[in-house]
Amino acid sequence: MSTELSRLSELAKADTTTRFLSLAHLLTPAALMAAFEGLRKDASAGVDEVTYREYEQNVWGNIATLHHRLVSHQYRAQPLRRVYIPKEDGKERPISVPALEDKIVQKATVTVLNAIYEQDFLPCSYGFRPRLSPHDALGAIDRVICRGPIAYVLEADIQGYFDAIVRDQLMAFVERRIGDSSVLRLIQKWIHIGVIEDGRLLATETGTGQGQVISPLLANI
């Protein structure tokens, strides 16, 4: 973690009411490059049809252009591409695939926001957390069960959670910690962007597309 991100974490941990007003400057070309390098190389392309390998051929030029669009407020998020993957119960799960550059900016933004929100999330929360995995959750369950008498185990699931999130409430939660208008505008772009399905652009009233890099963090918030 960079010195600036470490400082963010220290401030967030010291005071849970601190609002961070200046974050967008951390979305540097180096941060965007690190985000690009952290993407899956074999991931499906979005509506832009640009693959990791194609973007990589002129990556520094592409990153420089992307950064310029960000700082000059010319960056525009592209609609998501809707695909469906089968679930264990025979139904299908809708997945929203972002364009490659949207993945890059989202991943860089998540890195910055994680420095703050990792100080807020509870230690018993394991989903979509950096350096935590289902194996860590299983280990925690094992330790709890072995420590004393356990009478019940409760399993619950919020059906269609990503698609059902109320956006106004989500943004109200985000704004408790984040006061940088540029970052807030980016998040608003990503959650309100439409979905391309069967060649048609569909608008959605709720949720944050499952498949977007930013969505797991927003869901945890």
Side-chain angles (χ1 to χ4, degrees), residues 185-218:
R185 277 196 300 270
L186 286 175
I187 295 173
Q188 289 277 12
K189 289 177 191 288
W190 294 326
I191 65 176
H192 286 96
I193 199 70
V195 177
I196 298 290
E197 185 170 2
D198 296 330
R200 294 179 299 136
L201 177 60
L202 306 177
T204 56
E205 300 296 327
T206 61
T208 172
Q210 186 168 359
Q212 293 201 89
V213 178
I214 193 76
S215 292
L217 173 61
L218 297 179

Side-chain angles (χ1 to χ4, degrees), residues 123-184:
C124 60
S125 172
Y126 291 88
F128 307 114
R129 300 280 301 279
R131 297 175 296 281
L132 294 176
S133 71
H135 295 289
D136 295 308
L138 288 171
I141 292 171
D142 182 63
R143 289 191 296 274
V144 169
I145 290 175
C146 292
R147 281 179 182 172
I150 299 296
Y152 301 96
V153 174
L154 173 65
E155 179 181 5
D157 179 55
I158 303 176
Q159 186 175 6
Y161 176 55
F162 283 85
D163 294 330
I165 292 173
V166 179
R167 291 169 180 167
D168 288 346
Q169 294 177 4
L170 168 63
M171 292 307 301
F173 277 114
V174 171
E175 289 174 18
R176 290 182 183 178
R177 275 301 216 177
I178 309 304
D180 186 318
S181 59
S182 294
V183 172
L184 293 175

Side-chain angles (χ1 to χ4, degrees), residues 16-81:
T16 59
T17 65
T18 296
R19 292 185 78 228
F20 294 86
L21 306 179
S22 180
L23 297 172
H25 69 283
L26 297 173
L27 301 178
T28 62
L32 296 174
M33 177 60 78
F36 171 74
E37 292 174 341
L39 296 177
R40 280 182 48 202
K41 296 177 175 58
D42 60 347
S44 298
V47 296
D48 59 345
E49 299 183 348
V50 177
T51 66
Y52 185 101
R53 296 303 184 190
E54 291 169 340
Y55 200 84
E56 189 178 35
Q57 292 176 11
N58 182 31
V59 64
W60 277 112
N62 291 330
I63 290 293
T65 301
L66 175 58
H67 181 257
H68 173 73
R69 295 205 309 274
L70 275 173
V71 298
S72 61
H73 303 293
Q74 298 178 49
Y75 164 79
R76 299 289 182 270
Q78 298 191 57
L80 305 167
R81 183 172 70 87

